[in-house]
Amino acid sequence: MMQHYDIVIIGAGPGGLAAAMSASEAKCSVLVVDDNPLPGGQIWRHRVFSQLPVVAHKWINGVFESKFVTVSSQTKVVMFPQDKQVLLESPDSAKVVSFDKLILATGARELFLPYPGWELPGITGAGGLQSLIKGGLPVKGQRIVIAGSGPLLLAAADSARKAGAHVVAIVEQASMKSVAKFSVNLVRWPIKAIQSISLIPKRYWTSSYIQSVSQSNKGFEVAINKAGRIRHIECDRVACGFGLMPNIELPLALGCEVNQGCVVTDSFQRTSAKDYYAVGEVTGIGGSELALLEGQIAGYHASGNPKPANALLKQQAKWQAFADLLKKTFELGSSLLQLAKDNTLVCRCEDVTFERVKQYANWREAKVATRCGMGACQGRICSGAAQTLFKWQPPVPRPPFTPTRIETLSLIGSGDK
Ligand SMILES: Cc1cc2nc3c(=O)[nH]c(=O)nc-3n(C[C@H](O)[C@H](O)[C@H](O)COP(=O)(O)OP(=O)(O)OC[C@H]3O[C@@H](n4cnc5c(N)ncnc54)[C@H](O)[C@@H]3O)c2cc1C
């Protein structure tokens, strides 16, 4: 028998968890699917639960304690075999599940832009470094350069310092004027102002970006363009990410309207596809507070309980204003699009250079002709880079959305295995 849920939620970050808890208040049966080993999403990624902030305890404990919510971790979405059905695969099982409503809470990932040397081992994203540290990577005593753009650089630097690393420089492409204006405006969101005080950075270079990285006897030598002048720094590790980009592959596959890389929703988080909602950073980068509010609004609305959803709209608007300010402050400068040289790799999995990729008109053509995006990361890194560098439209993915076992695919049209 195929399992049926009133609501299926994809993503167990703040947005997905809040949606699940709110929907459970109306006694709806809810399935939360996430590909990570534990719920919490990016911000509450953890090994030791007690080290998470209290707000995370509330939402994560909430879903485990609710008799209406089932959490399926380490579970990948393979495809949507029919309308209102999803094929799921976990390490030891696979199943097709049907649902009445779907809430997409797939979050965002880091945006990488290629520069000479970015493919060297030891170079990660800024959030990537933070995730590795949260996963136990030892960085004690290491000299680290953190670069790119956005508040995630400060969060990553804080995690690195707490783990005993020496953060040599935080290299932010936005100007001091923009960052200062942003900081002053934070008084409108006191919780963010307090957070920013705890993260006040040392060695924070604005109007600066990494131009290239090379290996040296003592680790890496990083060339940094600081307001037009090149400075060289030695370090053991480089962590560079240019902000976040929404994970819109599943919404695109479902035909949801997307604008400027974000899923379009109405005020109740409904997408253009009937009975499909989207919440959190898949609808735009705005932080966990906005994701929690959007998750609650969608959870209440999808479970036929619009009154509490309505009551949250004002708060949602306040945090949407924070998201808008974030976007304006850390908008990427055009010089970043010139960093890749002809021989710089764009696709690190399949060794495809910038020179080869730039010959094509769109991602699909480049992929077919060069194999870019066909390697281990399945384009999760290079397709974002290509969209930014060449202004290409995000590709609509074709199923299966992830490498899948053959016996999982044999379930299409049948039931559980
Ligand atoms: C690497 C990284 C580090 C970050 N660190 C911080 C930080 O230190 N401090 C901070 O304030 N903010 C941080 N952020 C931003 C923060 O994560 C977001 O503001 C917030 O978590 C957004 O919540 P969300 O629910 O929208 O998405 P997320 O928290 O991103 O959750 C989305 C979840 O969906 C899962 N998922 C996505 N696609 C699929 C799929 N196809 N199948 C199954 N599961 C799927 C993901 O694995 C993830 O668990 C970070 C973001 C990133 C990308």
Side-chain angles (χ1 to χ4, degrees):
M1 280 279 288
M2 189 185 296
Q3 286 173 19
H4 180 84
Y5 290 88
D6 295 324
I7 301 178
V8 167
I9 300 172
I10 302 171
L17 294 173
M21 289 309 295
S22 308
S24 73
E25 287 180 29
K27 300 190 167 81
C28 285
S29 59
V30 179
L31 173 68
V32 185
V33 173
D34 194 287
D35 49 10
N36 276 324
L38 292 166
Q42 298 291 0
I43 186 169
W44 299 328
R45 189 185 289 277
H46 62 283
R47 281 193 304 160
V48 184
F49 185 67
S50 59
Q51 288 172 358
L52 284 177
V54 177
V55 61
H57 289 193
K58 174 185 156 189
W59 296 106
I60 296 174
N61 280 336
V63 291
F64 282 125
E65 285 163 10
S66 169
K67 61 180 184 206
F68 300 105
V69 181
T70 307
V71 179
S72 185
S73 294
Q74 277 192 293
T75 302
K76 299 184 294 183
V77 173
V78 176
M79 64 190 293
F80 299 98
Q82 285 185 31
D83 189 31
K84 302 210 175 165
Q85 284 185 8
V86 59
L87 172 57
L88 302 169
E89 184 185 88
S90 45
D92 48 14
S93 65
K95 61 186 169 195
V96 181
V97 163
S98 62
F99 53 83
D100 295 326
K101 307 245 168 96
L102 182 76
I103 300 180
L104 295 153
T106 49
R109 59 179 180 267
E110 269 189 287
L111 171 65
F112 298 91
L113 293 178
Y115 50 84
W118 79 301
E119 74 285 3
L120 293 170
I123 300 189
T124 61
L129 173 68
Q130 192 196 40
S131 303
L132 288 167
I133 292 172
K134 286 180 186 175
L137 177 81
V139 292
K140 196 167 179 186
Q142 291 186 0
R143 300 161 300 165
I144 304 185
V145 170
I146 296 181
S149 196
L152 188 52
L153 304 189
L154 305 187
D158 188 55
S159 301
R161 279 198 200 100
K162 285 180 178 151
H166 172 54
V167 178
V168 190
I170 304 173
V171 181
E172 167 61 61
Q173 61 89 37
S175 69
M176 180 48 94
K177 193 174 158 200
S178 297
V179 175
K181 207 167 157 192
F182 177 74
S183 309
V184 170
N185 268 302
L186 284 184
V187 291
R188 288 158 63 196
W189 302 276
I191 197 172
K192 287 288 171 200
I194 294 165
Q195 264 175 25
S196 73
I197 290 166
S198 69
L199 295 177
I200 281 181
K202 291 180 198 134
R203 301 178 208 92
Y204 187 63
W205 301 4
T206 48
S207 299
S208 305
Y209 53 85
I210 291 189
Q211 193 131 334
S212 64
V213 178
S214 52
Q215 244 149 359
S216 73
N217 294 341
K218 295 181 187 160
F220 293 116
E221 186 174 303
V222 188
I224 294 171
N225 186 320
K226 188 166 188 259
R229 287 182 54 203
I230 304 298
R231 302 267 301 264
H232 293 268
I233 304 186
E234 283 209 336
C235 64
D236 305 301
R237 211 171 252 289
V238 178
C240 182
F242 292 94
L244 302 178
M245 56 178 292
N247 291 320
I248 54 172
E249 289 76 8
L250 297 185
L252 278 174
L254 289 164
C256 303
E257 186 188 342
V258 165
N259 185 21
Q260 295 184 24
C262 306
V263 178
V264 177
T265 65
D266 67 5
S267 47
F268 293 112
Q269 304 303 132
R270 285 177 292 196
T271 70
S272 60
K274 188 171 177 289
D275 293 332
Y276 293 0
Y277 294 70
V279 303
E281 295 207 317
V282 71
T283 67
I285 307 308
S288 58
E289 294 82 1
L290 183 59
L292 283 170
L293 283 163
E294 290 182 353
Q296 290 173 80
I297 291 169
Y300 284 128
H301 197 275
S303 58
N305 193 7
K307 209 170 159 199
N310 260 314
L312 293 167
L313 293 181
K314 208 167 152 198
Q315 276 189 67
Q316 196 264 1
K318 180 181 151 195
W319 282 100
Q320 184 56 51
F322 173 74
D324 296 344
L325 180 67
L326 203 61
K327 186 173 173 191
K328 199 166 154 202
T329 304
F330 297 102
E331 196 170 6
L332 297 183
S334 54
S335 3
L336 301 173
L337 308 183
Q338 318 298 328
L339 296 180
K341 306 293 169 222
D342 273 351
N343 63 354
T344 305
L345 293 181
V346 172
C347 173
R348 303 187 296 189
C349 302
E350 294 288 326
D351 287 352
V352 187
T353 59
F354 179 75
E355 184 180 27
R356 291 186 62 210
V357 178
K358 75 177 182 188
Q359 295 170 26
Y360 298 92
N362 58 50
W363 176 248
R364 185 78 67 207
E365 279 182 23
K367 194 172 169 182
V368 169
T370 68
R371 284 198 55 80
C372 67
M374 291 204 195
C377 89
Q378 291 285 293
R380 283 178 64 81
I381 291 176
C382 56
S383 81
Q387 283 164 44
T388 310
L389 292 173
F390 308 118
K391 307 279 176 277
W392 286 346
Q393 288 302 310
V396 177
R398 282 186 274 196
F401 306 129
T402 177
T404 304
R405 296 188 296 267
I406 198 82
E407 59 268 34
T408 299
L409 295 175
S410 71
L411 282 177
I412 299 167
S414 59
D416 292 3
K417 193 153 227 170

